Amino acid sequence: AINMLQSKKQREKICEMMFEQFDVQGYFVAFQSLLPMFDNEVNRETALIVDIGHDITEITPVHEGFVLVHQARRTGISGRTVDEKLAELLTETTVSTKRATLPGGSYRIL
């Protein structure tokens, strides 16, 4: 699987390396974001695939089985961003503990 934003030159270099250095018999290239479409349960030809990774999030539109490469987007909002924000929120709330009175009793808020 390859990244949708790799240039044609990069893809050709990888292919050349596979044949010449690793002596492979065949080589198949597919866009990483398109692979979920091959799931038997999905059974769709048109979709918007959102791949959230640790470092980046890729959004890929697929129409009738073809990746719309020029409409694909990549953003830096990712799993790491969410982890960091949650850690920040937890740190803020655990520093100042408060008590809340709710029906049924008094509770300490962490």
Side-chain angles (χ1 to χ4, degrees), residues 54-105:
H54 184 67
D55 294 319
I56 60 167
T57 297
E58 293 180 337
I59 303 154
T60 309
V62 179
H63 181 68
E64 296 182 0
F66 294 97
V67 174
L68 304 177
V69 177
H70 298 294
Q71 300 300 320
R73 298 291 181 260
R74 177 185 280 183
T75 178
I77 299 172
S78 60
R80 180 189 315 216
T81 309
V82 173
D83 288 348
E84 289 170 354
K85 185 63 177 176
L86 285 174
E88 177 186 323
L89 291 171
L90 285 171
T91 303
E92 289 174 5
T93 57
T94 54
V95 170
S96 61
T97 58
K98 302 175 184 175
R99 294 194 77 75
T101 304
L102 301 171

Side-chain angles (χ1 to χ4, degrees), residues 15-78:
C15 185
E16 179 183 323
M17 182 179 65
M18 294 301 285
F19 282 110
E20 293 177 3
Q21 292 181 8
F22 296 105
D23 198 32
V24 297
Q25 297 297 317
Y27 187 70
F28 175 75
V29 176
F31 287 113
Q32 182 177 349
S33 55
L34 185 60
L35 294 178
M37 299 290 289
F38 292 116
D39 185 353
N40 290 335
E41 294 180 18
V42 173
N43 198 21
R44 295 184 191 265
E45 292 183 4
T46 301
L48 180 67
I49 299 171
V50 180
D51 183 12
I52 302 172
H54 184 67
D55 294 319
I56 60 167
T57 297
E58 293 180 337
I59 303 154
T60 309
V62 179
H63 181 68
E64 296 182 0
F66 294 97
V67 174
L68 304 177
V69 177
H70 298 294
Q71 300 300 320
R73 298 291 181 260
R74 177 185 280 183
T75 178
I77 299 172
S78 60

